[in-house]
Amino acid sequence: MAQLPPFDHTPLPYDGPTPAEVLKMRKDFVNPAIFHYYKKPIMIVEGKGQYLFDETGRRYLDGFGGIVTVSVGHCHPEVVKAANQQNETIQHTTTIYLNPGIALYAKELAAKMPGDLKVCYFVNSGSEANDLAVLMARAHTGNYDLVALRNAYHGGSPGTMALTSHHTWKFNVPHSFGVQHARMPDPYRGPFGMDDPDAGKKYAADVAETIQFGTSGRIAGFIAESIQGVGGSVVFPDGYLKHAYEHARAAGALCIADEVQAGFGRTGTHFWGFETQGVMPDIVTMAKGIGNGCPLAAVVTTPEIARSLASRIHFNTFGGNPVSCAQGRAVLRVIENEGLQANCLNIGAYLTAGFEKLAGKHSIIGQVRGKGLMLGVELVKDRNTKEPAKEQCAEVFERCKDLGLLIGKGGLWGNTLRIKPPMCIHQADADFMLEVIDAALAGI
Ligand SMILES: Cc1ncc(COP(=O)(O)O)c(C=O)c1O
């Protein structure tokens, strides 16, 4: 059986409620629409670096980072120290008073952005960031409609639920109006395949058609993730966003890059996912990994676009909270000081090569895809029909947990294993992960 690499950390003894008691309390008192992973849910009570510990002290390799959110590692000492220091000094002010945290953080975040993207708005979640981006695009252009992509996930608020394009996340209520979804640019499942050098341009033509057939012809915005995360780590063909942005801009749109999952170096080659497609968005939204687990998100845009929102007050109580800002600043420092983007590139390439090797052995693997440490392994019943191997994927996922590896699962049919660990994992962890997934796929 695969062995986790040695790790010098003893978790604290746990003497709280048992998993059965917690499950019961969740059932009785917590939102019944949330779901838990695994037939028999596990309880996580401690995290350190790339590892998680359950109430018995059992260690797991975290291959999913709390849904692509723990970017620099669980309880990273520098992040913890920054948050603790801020908690002991002043926890909350709102922006009605000056506090250095928000100003310093905005300056440091802006320094990470290309071009004229330098005005930061701080909010509390990815959904809120995307809602704000949509408002901004509408206020700036005077247009209303938006084009998003099929297979996208942009949030669960009433506004972003309209952008999201999976029936599984949508309630049967009126969402925000005026959103059309263009064809998903997926070279594995779509009509233009991996071998078509013009696939990017061909998929992007559907953005122009969606505008022509589904809107007044003038739109406020085009929004896309740089790699579709919840949709199963779908990577667009080269040139897709460039052509899509051209079509959208010709119809008056601002282009919004949703970097909630792909940002902060995770793709390995670039700090921002949109840079892997060589485009310059007008608005960038970010969340999750930005704060390594604290409720922090941001929208960054140009001074010109920001002026369009200045005609009214824009305020939220917790946006720019001193503790979140301290934590966000620490995350930026750790990514830089520990070379985590380069680590994503190296370990990501190592894992990709390993998964490709597994694909040679297990015919259930239909495609290995992704960039850096944002990877997907799509499972299919048959490589020709590409019928999603949903039940098998669920079984592999359970087996991985039993063997000590926690990963994610995604795509509309839930047949893609999502590998998005904290960006600090080591090669020995990657070896463990490959060995576990190999064992979990055996005989499936
Ligand atoms: C790409 C993307 N955008 C937006 C969101 C919404 O973020 P939040 O759950 O913080 O509202 C998510 C969440 O999974 C996401 O993956």
Side-chain angles (χ1 to χ4, degrees), residues 83-102:
N84 285 351
Q85 271 179 355
Q86 191 58 52
N87 265 314
E88 285 170 3
T89 321
I90 175 119
Q91 294 182 303
H92 180 72
T93 55
T94 81
T95 41
I96 56 175
Y97 308 116
L98 297 183
N99 178 272
I102 185 171

Side-chain angles (χ1 to χ4, degrees), residues 170-323:
K170 282 170 178 282
F171 284 86
N172 197 11
V173 295
H175 304 128
S176 167
F177 303 116
V179 177
Q180 305 292 330
H181 289 100
R183 164 179 273 164
M184 78 167 171
D186 177 358
Y188 181 62
R189 292 201 167 266
F192 315 116
M194 309 296 292
D195 50 353
D196 185 342
D198 289 329
K201 192 173 175 186
K202 290 178 182 168
Y203 284 110
D206 194 59
V207 172
E209 284 201 14
T210 304
I211 294 168
Q212 283 159 10
F213 286 103
T215 76
S216 68
R218 303 293 295 165
I219 62 168
F222 168 78
I223 181 166
E225 297 157 85
S226 304
I227 295 178
Q228 290 184 323
V230 172
S233 303
V234 172
V235 181
F236 307 150
D238 286 346
Y240 173 75
L241 282 183
K242 177 179 169 290
H243 291 289
Y245 276 23
E246 279 168 14
H247 293 309
R249 283 180 172 143
L254 296 186
C255 295
I256 305 166
D258 180 333
E259 291 285 325
V260 167
Q261 291 204 16
F264 294 89
R266 182 166 285 279
T267 60
T269 51
H270 298 79
F271 199 79
W272 302 109
F274 61 78
E275 294 173 305
T276 66
Q277 285 263 327
V279 292
M280 177 67 83
D282 304 295
I283 303 173
V284 180
T285 60
M286 44 192 96
K288 288 186 181 275
I290 189 176
N292 206 44
C294 74
L296 171 65
V299 181
V300 185
T301 190
T302 65
E304 192 201 339
I305 296 168
R307 270 194 293 279
S308 305
L309 267 199
S311 62
R312 293 284 184 283
I313 293 170
H314 176 264
F315 173 82
N316 70 67
T317 302
F318 296 122
N321 171 283
V323 181

Side-chain angles (χ1 to χ4, degrees), residues 131 134 156-164 175-176 179:
D131 274 332
V134 167
S157 63
T160 55
M161 217 189 286
L163 302 172
T164 289
H175 304 128
S176 167
V179 177

Side-chain angles (χ1 to χ4, degrees), residues 3-20:
Q3 292 296 317
L4 274 166
F7 187 60
D8 188 14
H9 176 79
T10 309
L12 292 170
Y14 175 79
D15 60 1
T18 65

